Amino acid sequence: MKLSLLSGQAGCRAQASHVFPTKLGSGPRLQWGLTRLAGTERSSRDREGLQGQGRGTARAVPTLSSAPSSAEMLRGKRVIVTGASSGIGEQMAYHLARMEAHLLLTARTEAKLQKVVERCLELGAASARYISGSMDSPSLPEQVLREAENTWGGLDMLILNHIGQSGFTFFSGDVGHVRKLMETNFVSYVALATAALPMLKESEGSIVVVSSIAGKVAGPFTAPYSATKFALDGFFSSLRQELIIEKVNVSITLCILGYINTESAVRAVSHVIPDTPAPKEECALEIIRAGFLRHRELHYPARTVSTMLLIHSISPELLNSIIRSSYRLENVQRT
Ligand SMILES: NC(=O)C1=CN([C@@H]2O[C@H](COP(=O)(O)OP(=O)(O)OC[C@H]3O[C@@H](n4cnc5c(N)ncnc54)[C@H](OP(=O)(O)O)[C@@H]3O)[C@@H](O)[C@H]2O)C=CC1
Ligand SMILES: C[C@H](CCC(=O)O)[C@H]1CC[C@H]2[C@@H]3C(=O)C[C@@H]4C[C@H](O)CC[C@]4(C)[C@H]3CC[C@]12C
């Protein structure tokens, strides 16, 4: 594990001009051949009601009408983002920096984290630092939370986003890979949340778990990955219930994402899935917003994901066959 020394005040003040798009994802999203079924994407803000949860007697949950602008959402809040060196995690770090949050970022690659931290400080983060290390190491989660406690004396939001390398191919029979992926994509999430809970109870904060449609509907070529995402749903949905029963005001937001245009996802699937991925910048902002509003679940892109879940609840076999027929199966590489 390596700890950064890069932290401090922003190089320049945050520009408070960053606002939510008035209509998110207004263009057509062609995903898994479901576009015609799903219709035009619409903001999950337009679609969803508030699903605040885990409220004790204390703080009111912001309503959509009373919610501050995105620039104010997390001003001065202490936020951990895992998997922040690239993709959606990196974009979340930049949004949070513009909101003037305090940031602790994690991933394995120190050089990338250094650059992201520098950019966050330029964008207006109240402070930004990182810890590098692999989340398949059992000691890292506690080290990350100890760092938050020592630096900030508390924590407001934990965003769990990292994933280990998987691939998009037939299951190879490598059980060792499944075990390692479970450790990285699932067990470390549990360990991070467990270590964070005392501080989050104190601040009445939030846990945000980044998952996937592959954690609700199992398609081909993602067996180990899909298993880790189903596990997250099982664990965190159960934990959410317990927090509500115990009147602990810590929210848990599970983010169900479709295909997003991160480099790693496009590299892994574009030769098999011909659809247009949704933008990572907007996706990142929606995740932060859903966490701030203490939503139970985020579906992004909203129309595509919700339509898939609806079809799956009516006829799983129909959805499975739509998915299979929309893939370019001849391009799937065998390992
Ligand atoms: N992109 C998509 O289409 C979709 C993404 N999602 C979810 O969104 C989240 C982000 O995905 P995306 O941005 O595409 O992924 P990326 O591959 O772009 O980013 C993954 C992040 O995790 C870090 N990471 C990788 N291995 C480890 C490890 N062993 N220990 C700690 N950190 C690690 C990477 O940094 P480093 O290599 O430096 O460690 C990187 O910061 C994931 O939870 C994913 O499941 C869900 C549905 C669709
Ligand atoms: C294979 C990717 C992991 C990249 C790597 O090896 O480092 C996956 C990461 C996100 C996956 C996508 C996802 O979660 C949403 C869809 C789920 C469907 O069941 C399959 C297609 C997905 C676009 C899926 C494809 C693999 C990933 C890109």
Side-chain angles (χ1 to χ4, degrees):
M1 183 204 73
K2 286 210 178 137
L3 198 62
S4 77
L5 298 173
L6 269 172
S7 71
Q9 291 302 316
C12 62
R13 295 291 295 165
Q15 287 141 26
S17 58
H18 197 91
V19 288
F20 286 116
T22 48
K23 192 174 181 217
L24 298 177
S26 52
R29 294 271 153 65
L30 304 167
Q31 292 190 298
W32 305 297
L34 281 166
T35 312
R36 257 164 273 137
L37 287 166
T40 306
E41 281 300 338
R42 186 166 62 111
S43 162
S44 55
R45 222 172 7 150
D46 301 339
R47 181 187 51 79
E48 280 171 48
L50 245 190
Q51 299 173 334
Q53 90 237 339
R55 283 184 292 263
T57 48
R59 196 180 67 182
V61 172
T63 62
L64 289 180
S65 54
S66 71
S69 74
S70 63
E72 293 161 358
M73 264 196 291
L74 289 156
R75 180 171 294 149
K77 299 291 183 196
R78 302 154 295 181
V79 186
I80 293 175
V81 183
T82 71
S85 66
S86 63
I88 299 164
E90 179 184 358
Q91 297 305 318
M92 285 194 277
Y94 298 151
H95 285 304
L96 289 162
R98 290 185 197 98
M99 292 169 196
E100 300 175 52
H102 293 276
L103 294 173
L104 175 56
L105 311 179
T106 76
R108 290 168 308 172
T109 317
E110 191 173 7
K112 286 194 202 167
L113 283 170
Q114 250 163 14
K115 284 193 182 147
V116 176
V117 159
E118 277 164 22
R119 180 84 186 117
C120 285
L121 292 170
E122 283 165 18
L123 288 171
S127 69
R129 53 206 301 122
Y130 66 82
I131 293 182
S132 64
S134 178
M135 283 295 174
D136 59 12
S137 145
S139 57
L140 187 58
E142 283 203 7
Q143 285 168 341
V144 172
L145 271 300
R146 206 175 310 127
E147 172 68 11
E149 182 151 39
N150 293 342
T151 312
W152 298 326
L155 178 70
D156 298 294
M157 186 179 275
L158 173 67
I159 304 183
L160 300 169
N161 166 76
H162 63 275
I163 44 166
Q165 190 90 19
S166 43
F168 190 71
T169 185
F170 288 93
F171 177 52
S172 67
D174 184 351
V175 178
H177 167 68
V178 177
R179 194 170 284 126
K180 189 169 174 189
L181 206 63
M182 276 308 249
E183 197 65 50
T184 306
N185 291 11
F186 171 64
V187 179
S188 71
Y189 279 45
V190 173
L192 284 157
T194 304
L197 259 177
M199 284 192 279
L200 292 174
K201 283 181 184 171
E202 183 73 29
S203 65
E204 300 188 331
S206 306
I207 298 172
V208 176
V209 178
V210 180
S211 187
S212 160
I213 188 68
K216 292 275 190 190
V217 175
F221 314 126
T222 53
Y225 170 80
S226 199
T228 66
K229 294 299 192 182
F230 269 80
L232 289 175
D233 195 348
F235 182 86
F236 283 98
S237 299
S238 174
L239 181 65
R240 185 195 292 116
Q241 297 268 49
E242 292 177 17
L243 295 176
I244 293 170
I245 290 167
E246 298 207 302
K247 296 193 173 21
V248 172
N249 193 9
V250 175
S251 63
I252 296 181
T253 300
L254 186 68
C255 303
I256 311 300
L257 308 183
Y259 182 21
I260 312 298
N261 69 356
T262 63
E263 251 182 71
S264 62
V266 171
R267 196 185 322 118
V269 305
S270 57
H271 55 296
V272 180
I273 303 177
D275 308 327
T276 307
K280 61 186 176 192
E281 298 82 0
E282 182 183 88
C283 176
L285 192 55
E286 282 291 281
I287 293 171
I288 294 166
R289 192 185 71 84
F292 171 75
L293 292 174
R294 305 173 90 81
H295 284 181
R296 188 176 184 279
E297 275 191 11
L298 166 72
H299 295 170
Y300 181 88
R303 187 66 76 88
T304 306
V305 170
S306 298
T307 304
M308 286 182 77
L309 295 179
L310 179 66
I311 299 172
H312 188 251
S313 69
I314 297 165
S315 171
E317 190 41 53
L318 172 64
L319 183 64
N320 289 351
S321 71
I322 294 173
I323 291 172
R324 283 195 304 271
S325 63
S326 67
Y327 284 2
R328 291 181 179 142
L329 295 176
E330 68 282 9
N331 289 345
V332 176
Q333 284 146 11
R334 289 175 185 270
T335 46

